[in-house]
């Protein structure tokens, strides 16, 4: 979609990483116009390692599945915009807001 704002009404989505041996988890998602984000905080969890090895992911929102590619956000101003949207949606800010220490991924069409 060119606008992901419909996900504002969805608390949790399913993200699938590692296409060769799928690994799925429930996760919060933040939309900011044409951008969609998933966030692991400062936790370099297993799914973060999968994305670093292969950025191809699948995202299920309600009954729709989207084939996407993840890229790590490196700009603090983009992270700040994400943090404001995160607080608006979930009622609190992310625990670590330093873009260099947190794992924030932007999802886009492949």
């Amino acid at each position: 979609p060119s606008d992901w704002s419909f996900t504002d009404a969805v608390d949790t989505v399913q993200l699938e990483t590692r296409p060769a041996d799928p690994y799925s988890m429930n996760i919060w998602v933040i939309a900011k116009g044409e951008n969609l984000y998933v966030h692991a905080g400062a936790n370099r969890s297993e799914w973060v390692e999968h994305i670093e090895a292969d950025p191809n992911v699948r995202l299920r929102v309600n009954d729709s599945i989207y084939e996407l590619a993840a890229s790590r956000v490196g700009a603090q101003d983009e992270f700040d915009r994400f943090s404001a949207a995160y607080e608006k949606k979930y009622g609190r800010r992310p625990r670590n807001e330093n873009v260099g220490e947190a794992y924030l991924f932007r999802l886009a069409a492949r």
Side-chain angles (χ1 to χ4, degrees), residues 12-92:
T12 305
V13 298
Q14 288 73 46
L15 181 69
E16 180 184 276
T17 62
R18 197 176 59 194
D21 183 16
Y23 177 91
S24 299
M25 85 289 298
N26 293 324
I27 192 166
W28 288 357
V29 65
I30 296 296
K32 194 72 178 142
E34 65 184 24
N35 294 318
L36 189 66
Y37 299 94
V38 291
H39 180 246
N43 181 16
R44 193 164 185 279
S45 61
E46 191 170 356
W47 68 266
V48 168
E49 292 179 9
H50 296 167
I51 286 174
E52 289 176 338
D54 183 345
N56 293 315
V57 300
R58 293 185 347 144
L59 184 78
R60 185 168 74 81
V61 181
N62 298 323
D63 293 327
S64 298
I65 296 177
Y66 303 93
E67 305 266 339
L68 303 169
S71 58
R72 187 171 178 190
V73 172
Q76 186 64 50
D77 62 332
E78 185 175 6
F79 194 97
D80 294 343
R81 289 190 301 274
F82 157 81
S83 294
Y86 185 100
E87 182 177 27
K88 182 178 179 184
K89 183 172 182 178
Y90 294 110
R92 63 177 185 225

